Amino acid sequence: MTNRLLLTALAFAACAPEPAGGSASRASGSVALSRDDALVYAVDADLDTLFVVSASAPADAPRAVRVGRAPVTVVVAPDDTVYVANRFGRTVSVVRRGDAEVALTLAVGVEPFGLAVSADGHALYVVNAARRTDLETGSVMAFDTATHTLAWETAVGPEPRALTLLPDGTALVALARSGDVVTLDLSTGAVTRAGSDLFRELNRAALARSRASPDPVESGPATRHPRSLSALTTSADGAQVYAAAVLSTDEVLNTRPGAPTATSRTDGPRRATRAGYGAASACGRVRPVVAPALLTFDATGNATVDDASTDEACGAPSPGRPPLFLTSTVPGVPVQGPAALALAPDGARLFVANRESNNVSVVPTRPEGGPGGRLDPRAPSRPDARAQQVVSVGAGPTGVAVSRDGRTAWVFNAFDHSLSRLTSDDGVVRQREVTPLGRDVLPPDVVAGRALFFSASSPEMNDPALGLSCASCHPDARDDGHVWNTSEGPRDTPSLAGRLLARTAPFHWNGEFATASQFLSHTTRDRMGGRGPSSTMEAQLMAFLMAAPAPDNPFTTATPPEVKARGRAAWAKAACGTCHSGEALTDGRFHDVGTLVTAGPVVDRREFLFFGGLNTPSLLGIARTAPFLHDGSAPTLEARLRLGQSTDAHGRTSALSPREVDDLVAYVRSL
């Protein structure tokens, strides 16, 4: 049960666009359409099932095809062959149109997400979050669809999620954790560009101010870091690539009501914000510190985005591209957690499935007007052509597909196992019907806890004006790879999944919360602006977090027994078990392992280190949670052990030989 629990929540999308106007860009994530639009395909990760639904009669009983473990993405090839990425199965299922069972299963890497089929149908591309032999780097695989043999596999970077194909024979690959794109030559499988200029382009003004001022407190607006870059699609002419992501701030966050800032100044533009996770934007409004965004790139992989730290991002976007931030014009209805996006066939609108706010954003690609940029002017009740529409759907949407005529969109809602049909005859998009496809198979308290964890609109969990959810910082109930600047000091987001959280009290890096109830109350009230969960809700949240599986880790079973044995011996020699003990591998005590930040603009403030050190984290499932330590200063496990080896500040590692360090890393990686 636990291995498939999160999968509906974790279904990061991956588009499969064809170059130069290919219709496959009309679908993304957990839902797709047959080439003639007669069939809707939806994958349900809880049920390990591909549902085949009649587009003309969606209320009729769907055909259910059993696929692999935790299917998250579905694409349709030009010959109507269906491919399904099974996240926890390390497989791709091949299903022929009309068949009631899987025709073939392809072995792939760890946690496959992204799928794409070439325009001629000859190649299938699979994006793996990690490789079976290297958890720190994911890959793209290319298969010949005629023989189903592997043509090549290329390492592309940490935690990739999606790819989109370009007319020139290249592809852009989205890296979820680092929030960047990699350019890949599809003819050879070679990486031709390992990153982009996205961060620099998003933060032009902030970086210029920082270079001009020696005082980091007075350096101007905070930068925004792209994270959870999880879905890509290409415009019909191949000139633009659109990406769904979130932007996380490095604003100094006042995480405790009335707490002093972490800097020496409190009157500059970089002063800590009020308690809560909202930061003032350049245009005076408060944006959540994790803000949903649409990013754009040109065909060479260069970012073409507005500056996130200036008024440019608050008003009309620059000509020729959609707004940077996803916003809502409906009072009390937030937008958060973009998980999938699809382009209407005429290129005029993007449909973005927002998993955490249970809605779909409909965004004009050219809101300033021009060809394909306006909605139907005959519609008397239509919204302003420059505005984004927000359409409520079912719970936890993770996929969207648009019909060839652009009048119908299909959305799969993973949390309630339903299919929404949206129509747009007059330019205004409306939900017409919701069809249930399956039923919950998870325990009721886990289902309820999952809904709360991923909700951006629950008044108990958050302030809908900010639209944050627990998943905003803990995607997949894991971690976002971001080191937050807080009034307590730099804090790396810890992973929650698979760590027996209820048994790891006290909570937070500072360990100031003795119980889970205190921890949840502080987070939802003081940081997210909610009323706070009831005791029943707290129990449901913890039930979900206790059931949430750790990231898939082949080293748990694939590490040779002799290597594990040597690693355990090195673990004992270095006295690692002194602190990392018990079932959850934490003693629940406090230690300074030589990593406290004592200098710089953001330091670990001693008044917040209530017990003289930092709370010992669990090591369960640690292999795929880089960066490491409370300040994110260790990019790899090996780097941490070697950096602190001479001081013995973090275990008695000075006595370890280089071979023993390698064995210890291998052992810890297998936990």
Side-chain angles (χ1 to χ4, degrees), residues 125 140 142 151-156 169 183-192:
Y125 302 100
V140 174
W152 49 258
E153 179 179 11
T154 298
V156 293
T183 305
L184 199 62
D185 183 338
L186 296 176
S187 63
T188 64
V191 172
T192 59

Side-chain angles (χ1 to χ4, degrees), residues 506-563:
F507 299 97
H508 277 187
W509 281 108
N510 293 0
E512 68 267 40
F513 302 110
T515 67
S517 178
Q518 293 171 352
F519 156 64
L520 292 171
S521 178
H522 166 77
T523 301
T524 56
R525 294 174 186 268
D526 296 334
R527 299 194 175 195
M528 296 165 59
R531 295 197 297 253
S534 66
S535 57
T536 298
M537 290 177 175
E538 290 176 354
Q540 291 167 340
L541 281 163
M542 292 309 294
F544 166 69
L545 291 171
M546 286 292 287
D552 186 10
N553 182 0
F555 286 109
T556 300
T557 55
T559 301
E562 62 273 17
V563 175

Side-chain angles (χ1 to χ4, degrees), residues 28 36 52 58 69 85 95 147 153 194 236 287 308 314 332 347 376 419 445 462 535 544 549 612 620:
S28 172
D36 58 4
V52 185
R69 293 171 56 200
V95 182
T147 63
E153 179 179 11
R287 289 198 189 280
C314 302
D376 189 342
L419 187 68
D445 57 343
N462 47 50
S535 57
F544 166 69
L620 294 176

Side-chain angles (χ1 to χ4, degrees), residues 30-412:
S30 58
V31 66
L33 289 163
S34 61
R35 308 303 284 191
D36 58 4
D37 285 353
L39 300 175
V40 185
Y41 298 102
V43 289
D44 191 310
D46 280 357
L47 304 177
D48 298 342
T49 297
L50 166 70
F51 289 107
V52 185
V53 180
S54 168
S56 61
D60 291 353
R63 184 166 77 249
V65 180
R66 190 77 170 179
V67 288
R69 293 171 56 200
V72 290
T73 308
V74 56
V75 297
V76 180
D79 66 354
D80 263 325
T81 299
V82 179
Y83 295 94
V84 177
N86 304 305
R87 185 180 187 186
F88 277 145
R90 303 179 199 163
T91 60
V92 169
S93 297
V94 183
V95 182
R96 311 297 185 194
R97 179 166 177 165
D99 286 358
E101 59 185 18
V102 172
L104 185 70
T105 299
L106 304 178
V108 294
V110 176
E111 294 196 27
F113 281 92
L115 295 175
V117 181
S118 61
D120 59 13
H122 293 166
L124 168 70
Y125 302 100
V126 182
V127 180
N128 304 298
R131 293 183 291 169
R132 297 193 186 207
T133 58
D134 179 10
L135 296 180
E136 295 170 357
T137 307
S139 71
V140 174
M141 288 178 164
F143 289 89
D144 183 310
T145 55
T147 63
H148 298 105
T149 56
L150 179 65
W152 49 258
E153 179 179 11
T154 298
V156 293
E159 299 288 335
R161 288 294 187 273
L163 80 164
T164 187
L165 310 185
L166 299 172
D168 64 355
T170 64
L172 293 188
V173 183
L175 304 180
R177 185 178 295 275
S178 59
D180 206 351
V181 295
V182 171
T183 305
L184 199 62
D185 183 338
L186 296 176
S187 63
T188 64
V191 172
T192 59
R193 189 175 180 182
S196 76
D197 56 354
L198 175 59
F199 178 77
R200 185 178 70 244
E201 290 300 299
L202 279 171
N203 298 288
R204 293 187 292 272
L207 294 175
R209 287 284 298 272
S210 179
R211 287 191 296 267
S213 173
D215 183 356
V217 179
E218 299 293 341
S219 62
T223 55
R224 286 273 185 173
H225 295 255
R227 292 288 185 266
S228 296
L229 209 164
S230 55
L232 298 170
T233 193
T234 304
S235 63
D237 60 5
Q240 280 193 322
V241 172
Y242 306 106
V246 298
L247 301 181
S248 299
T249 186
D250 73 352
E251 183 76 53
V252 180
L253 303 178
N254 188 352
T255 55
R256 312 193 68 72
T261 66
T263 66
S264 59
R265 297 287 299 275
T266 59
D267 57 349
R270 291 293 307 281
R271 64 182 180 272
T273 66
R274 64 177 176 81
Y277 274 5
S281 70
C283 48
R285 70 186 64 167
V286 173
R287 289 198 189 280
V289 298
V290 180
L294 272 176
L295 309 176
T296 53
F297 301 86
D298 64 21
T300 66
N302 289 316
T304 56
V305 293
D306 291 324
D307 191 331
S309 60
T310 67
D311 287 331
E312 200 177 9
C314 302
S318 297
R321 58 175 176 259
L324 175 62
F325 289 104
L326 292 172
T327 59
S328 174
T329 57
V330 182
V333 177
V335 168
Q336 188 59 270
L341 81 166
L343 187 65
D346 63 0
R349 294 180 290 184
L350 283 162
F351 289 74
V352 186
N354 302 305
R355 180 185 53 200
E356 295 161 32
S357 50
N358 300 333
N359 50 35
V360 170
S361 293
V362 185
V363 185
T365 57
R366 295 174 179 169
E368 74 280 357
R374 291 192 176 275
L375 306 178
D376 189 342
R378 296 169 297 174
S381 61
R382 71 182 181 92
D384 190 298
R386 295 167 297 178
Q388 302 178 41
Q389 297 181 58
V390 177
V391 185
S392 294
V393 291
T398 55
V400 59
V402 185
S403 63
R404 288 180 179 274
D405 62 11
R407 294 186 174 184
T408 303
W410 301 90
V411 180
F412 181 66

